[in-house]
Amino acid sequence: MSTERVTIRHVAHSAGVSVATVSRVFAQSSSVSEELTARVLDAARRLGYTPHAVAQSLASGRTRVVGVLVPNLANPYFYALIKNMLHEADRDGYRLIVADSDESLAAEPALGMSLLGRSDGLIMLSPRCGSEVLKELGGQGKPIMVVNRQIDELGLSSVLLDNFTPMRQLAMHTVELGHRHLVYLQGPVRSWQEKERWRAMRSLRVPGVTVTPIRAGGTMENGRDSADRVLATGCTAVLAHNDLTAIGLIAGLNEHGVSVPGDISVTGFDDIPFARFTSPALTTVHSPQEDIGRATWRMTAGLLHGDRPGARTMLTTQPVIRASTAPPK
């Protein structure tokens, strides 16, 4: 039995076309008719031919790879988004390569350029960099997709979650329970989501209700380390920027012998998988990570196939009330 490797020349001979035509078919060129495409693909199936990925990329000028830049891969929120996008991309025959900027403004531009140099496009999850950097990345001639950052003036496509409305609803939930002195644990300074959530807290105009901001960050360590400052305010309810900060704060309060929600109510944002399994289960805002991931890839795929940039998808959500909030004593 022959062990000769099937090559593109064998496929061309079997299909009765030139080697160049076979190359164009596997590069998904629109210049080849449907009839010739069908003949080539049929011949390839019969012969068991699989195109070499690197050669195919060189021929088409496409890698079928998309870069993803994330500010903190350790955050389960971003991990969930990436996992959902991976499944969607795989169904379309694409792979994702991921880089973590570790919340570094200085790292984002170089990482973005590096990913663009090795891929067909770039997805930026909650970018922290300035508009000038996004403009430079968008000027590289490849699709750029932005998640959780409103940047209408640059004409980049984006997927956003309405952070303002549910954050305000969450704050009103604590007010309706009877809390009058609230603390808001602020997240990363350059986060668009942080700005929207803090804007919602500032919008509260309820007589007798005060909101004290405390700069924390976005990690469990940040939340735990803020416990002393929270207790110094004398507040009865804390609304944290995200679930990780809230979970860390609960741990820090427990170390001080402070009960949640017996002494202080605590809320988060994002509804990461850990949120429902904390003790007590965390009141938070559900972020539809599957929907965000699906919408992000769908719009990215459209850009890769020639859709005009600048479209925006806004998703909505609402609070999830659990056991970490209760009326004040």
Side-chain angles (χ1 to χ4, degrees):
M1 184 174 64
S2 173
T3 59
E4 183 182 6
R5 184 174 66 88
V6 177
T7 69
I8 193 172
R9 294 185 181 278
H10 294 111
V11 176
H13 178 75
S14 178
V17 298
S18 68
V19 170
T21 297
V22 177
S23 295
R24 286 196 296 271
V25 167
F26 284 110
Q28 299 182 345
S29 172
S30 59
S31 65
V32 184
S33 70
E34 292 184 6
E35 187 270 332
L36 283 182
T37 298
R39 279 167 51 188
V40 169
L41 294 178
D42 179 64
R45 278 192 295 270
R46 284 188 286 102
L47 296 172
Y49 173 75
T50 301
H52 190 280
V54 174
Q56 188 177 355
S57 296
L58 292 172
S60 65
R62 296 181 181 180
T63 63
R64 299 197 73 80
V65 171
V66 172
V68 180
L69 182 55
V70 59
N72 182 7
L73 194 54
N75 187 331
Y77 172 79
F78 294 117
Y79 176 80
L81 289 187
I82 293 170
K83 187 174 181 179
N84 280 287
M85 289 190 294
L86 277 169
H87 292 318
E88 297 293 321
D90 183 64
R91 277 194 283 267
D92 287 343
Y94 280 84
R95 293 176 293 119
L96 303 181
I97 51 174
V98 181
D100 182 353
S101 69
D102 198 25
E103 295 286 357
S104 170
L105 285 178
E108 278 195 343
L111 286 172
M113 285 295 186
S114 175
L115 288 171
L116 278 175
R118 293 181 285 162
S119 67
D120 297 336
L122 176 64
I123 299 171
M124 303 188 73
L125 301 181
S126 301
R128 312 306 197 204
C129 58
S131 296
E132 68 282 355
V133 174
L134 293 173
K135 184 177 181 180
E136 183 180 3
L137 292 171
Q140 301 305 305
K142 293 184 178 181
I144 303 290
M145 186 74 204
V146 179
V147 182
N148 293 330
R149 175 81 174 270
Q150 189 165 341
I151 44 169
D152 296 336
E153 71 277 7
L154 296 182
L156 298 178
S157 297
S158 60
V159 172
L160 306 169
L161 179 70
D162 176 11
N163 287 259
F164 179 89
T165 303
M167 189 75 221
R168 199 175 193 286
Q169 291 172 337
L170 195 61
M172 287 304 301
H173 161 68
T174 63
V175 170
E176 290 164 0
L177 286 173
H179 296 280
R180 292 296 175 263
H181 186 181
L182 314 180
V183 160
Y184 175 64
L185 284 188
Q186 296 175 299
V189 177
R190 302 284 300 197
S191 166
W192 175 81
Q193 292 167 292
E194 157 58 27
K195 290 179 172 62
E196 287 295 288
R197 294 169 193 177
W198 175 225
R199 183 169 71 90
M201 295 300 299
R202 294 200 316 271
S203 75
L204 289 179
R205 297 290 187 270
V206 180
V209 173
T210 62
V211 179
T212 301
I214 292 178
R215 177 63 63 188
T219 69
M220 285 190 283
E221 290 79 6
N222 295 150
R224 179 179 177 274
D225 293 344
S226 67
D228 286 331
R229 287 176 291 159
V230 166
L231 292 172
T233 68
C235 69
T236 60
V238 180
L239 295 98
H241 162 75
N242 66 11
D243 291 344
L244 290 179
T245 312
I247 292 169
L249 173 63
I250 291 173
L253 292 175
N254 287 339
E255 291 170 5
H256 285 78
V258 177
S259 169
V260 176
D263 299 316
I264 295 180
S265 289
V266 176
T267 72
F269 201 114
D270 291 334
D271 198 18
I272 62 175
F274 303 148
R276 70 188 67 184
F277 301 115
T278 60
S279 182
L282 187 64
T283 292
T284 185
V285 170
H286 177 68
S287 179
Q289 290 146 32
E290 289 188 7
D291 293 340
I292 295 172
R294 190 177 301 113
T296 298
W297 179 255
R298 185 170 62 246
M299 293 179 69
T300 301
L303 293 172
L304 291 167
H305 290 87
D307 284 359
R308 189 171 182 176
R312 184 177 74 181
T313 294
M314 175 73 80
L315 300 175
T316 59
T317 189
Q318 58 188 6
V320 178
I321 308 304
R322 297 195 180 107
S324 66
T325 48
K329 289 182 177 179

